[in-house]
Amino acid sequence: MKSEKHHIKKKRRWVSVLLVFLVLIGVTVGYAYYQYKQGIAQSLKKVNKTTKVNNVVYTFEGKKDQYGDTNILLLGSDARGNEKSRADTIMIAHYNETRGTYRLTSIMRDSYVNIPGHGKHKINSAFAYGGPELMRQTIKENFDIDLQYYAIVDFQGFVQLIDEAFPNGVEINVEKKMSEYIGVTLEPGLQRLDGEHLLGYVRFRHDAIGDFGRVKRQQEALKAVGKQLKSFETIPKLPKLIGVITPFINTNMDTTDMLFMAKDFFSKNRGNVETLRIPIDNSFTEPRIKEEGAVLDINLEKNKEALHQFISK
């Protein structure tokens, strides 16, 4: 009898612990959802008539690549909903859950490649011809890499995300004075940039090295953002940060997918994110093509090999 009573008490104790655990989970999920909705509401207040987010539902037939990576096609656009625009920024974020690796590849928009069904053009034309799915097909045909997800980010969303995550700005060493066609003026030196000025920094390309310098700054800025986010209590802020950018992003990723990858990155010591630029050095020429202008005529084999080595190591 005594043993039976002890068993009953033990069982009740475990039931109580389980109930408390479930309540804690419910509270945590509820709070995360509340923060997510707060982030969305905060951004929607700042969306005006000139900031129309692209709500086109795209078909995207992607999958994981042959190395088990989840590859996310990142497209930057300031078209404010114009689906016929070219992609201003083309990146691939590589995430391998098994190896715990995060890498980033930038494809320069003037890379002259074959676009399925359209012949040879600058790669950023693929987005204008057929949205993210044609861009996926173009990258697959030229570089033999599959992409599972896409995310088209309006530049205004980038500004909102930076301002929410970094109320005091992102620390960046601006290498020179920048002002042409970026809407702001940046003075040289180590400083903290808000969203608008950081956007100007990553978009500047009116100097001797043009788009090469811009791609380098984009990668440096993203690495700085990732590194500096780690110094904060980032994980509790993730739902709100995702909510803040949601009104400015068109993606086939679920919110849970984004939360999982972001949480995995920030909850573990991942070190610096490795980066690659396509085309790599000494693998291209810069001819002028009729009706295309100046292009980067790339050695596909060299660049395909470099990309595969980069993501498979």
Side-chain angles (χ1 to χ4, degrees):
M1 182 69 70
K2 186 176 181 181
S3 177
E4 185 178 347
K5 287 182 178 179
H6 177 74
H7 178 71
I8 292 172
K9 286 182 179 180
K10 187 176 181 181
K11 185 176 180 181
R12 286 176 177 171
R13 187 164 60 247
W14 276 109
V15 170
S16 298
V17 170
L18 179 60
L19 287 174
V20 170
F21 181 67
L22 290 175
V23 169
L24 287 174
I25 290 177
V27 170
T28 301
V29 171
Y31 180 74
Y33 182 73
Y34 172 76
Q35 288 293 305
Y36 170 71
K37 298 298 287 186
Q38 284 289 100
I40 291 177
Q42 179 176 310
S43 282
L44 287 177
K45 288 180 181 178
K46 299 179 181 179
V47 176
N48 54 44
K49 294 180 180 180
T50 62
T51 307
K52 298 177 182 177
V53 182
N54 187 347
N55 292 318
V56 176
V57 177
Y58 292 105
T59 298
F60 198 77
E61 300 179 359
K63 59 183 181 181
K64 287 188 175 183
D65 68 20
Q66 57 267 55
Y67 306 109
D69 282 22
T70 296
N71 295 318
I72 307 163
L73 174 64
L74 303 175
L75 301 172
S77 171
D78 64 350
R80 296 177 173 86
N82 180 5
E83 62 174 308
K84 294 301 182 183
S85 66
R86 298 187 180 195
D88 193 69
T89 298
I90 306 168
M91 292 181 170
I92 306 172
H94 312 278
Y95 167 61
N96 189 292
E97 183 180 358
T98 302
R99 295 196 301 268
T101 56
Y102 292 78
R103 296 187 172 97
L104 184 69
T105 297
S106 295
I107 302 179
M108 295 189 66
R109 62 182 188 171
D110 291 341
S111 298
Y112 194 54
V113 299
N114 186 62
I115 298 176
H118 297 274
K120 294 197 73 171
H121 297 279
K122 294 179 180 180
I123 194 169
N124 66 337
S125 300
F127 182 65
Y129 292 141
E133 170 60 14
L134 185 57
M135 183 68 79
R136 182 195 70 79
Q137 294 176 19
T138 300
I139 292 172
K140 171 65 174 175
E141 177 173 310
N142 289 277
F143 302 105
D144 191 28
I145 289 294
D146 283 303
L147 309 173
Q148 188 171 2
Y149 299 112
Y150 76 87
I152 307 168
V153 182
D154 184 277
F155 288 140
Q156 186 58 34
F158 176 84
V159 172
Q160 299 296 333
L161 180 65
I162 295 301
D163 286 344
E164 176 63 31
F166 300 95
N168 298 318
V170 177
E171 188 173 79
I172 292 288
N173 188 15
V174 179
E175 68 269 26
K176 65 180 74 175
K177 183 174 180 177
M178 304 175 187
S179 60
E180 292 88 345
Y181 304 104
I182 59 173
V184 294
T185 297
L186 300 173
E187 299 293 340
L190 185 65
Q191 56 200 283
R192 290 190 170 274
L193 302 181
D194 63 11
E196 184 180 7
H197 286 80
L198 187 61
L199 177 62
Y201 175 77
V202 299
R203 296 197 70 190
F204 179 78
R205 63 187 180 94
H206 292 275
D207 58 7
I209 55 177
D211 216 31
F212 287 91
R214 185 177 69 155
V215 167
K216 181 181 178 182
R217 282 186 288 275
Q218 288 174 349
Q219 292 185 340
E220 288 177 346
L222 288 179
K223 287 195 286 187
V225 167
K227 184 177 180 180
Q228 291 171 46
L229 272 173
K230 289 183 181 182
S231 66
F232 301 152
E233 293 297 324
T234 303
I235 293 178
K237 296 178 68 175
L238 286 176
K240 187 173 184 181
L241 293 178
I242 291 176
V244 164
I245 200 172
T246 293
F248 300 96
I249 189 171
N250 183 319
T251 182
N252 64 335
M253 295 181 68
D254 293 332
T255 302
T256 50
D257 292 327
M258 290 187 277
L259 277 170
F260 175 77
M261 293 184 201
K263 181 179 179 295
D264 193 36
F265 178 80
F266 291 118
S267 63
K268 298 176 182 178
N269 183 17
R270 298 300 188 183
N272 291 326
V273 175
E274 295 183 63
T275 58
L276 176 73
R277 186 203 70 208
I278 297 292
I280 60 174
D281 291 339
N282 304 315
S283 71
F284 62 92
T285 57
E286 301 181 71
R288 295 193 68 85
I289 305 293
K290 186 177 180 181
E291 298 182 357
E292 291 285 333
V295 304
L296 298 175
D297 193 10
I298 71 176
N299 182 315
L300 275 179
E301 288 306 312
K302 278 188 177 182
N303 284 282
K304 181 163 63 174
E305 180 181 1
L307 178 57
H308 282 251
Q309 286 181 352
F310 176 67
I311 62 176
S312 63
K313 61 184 179 181

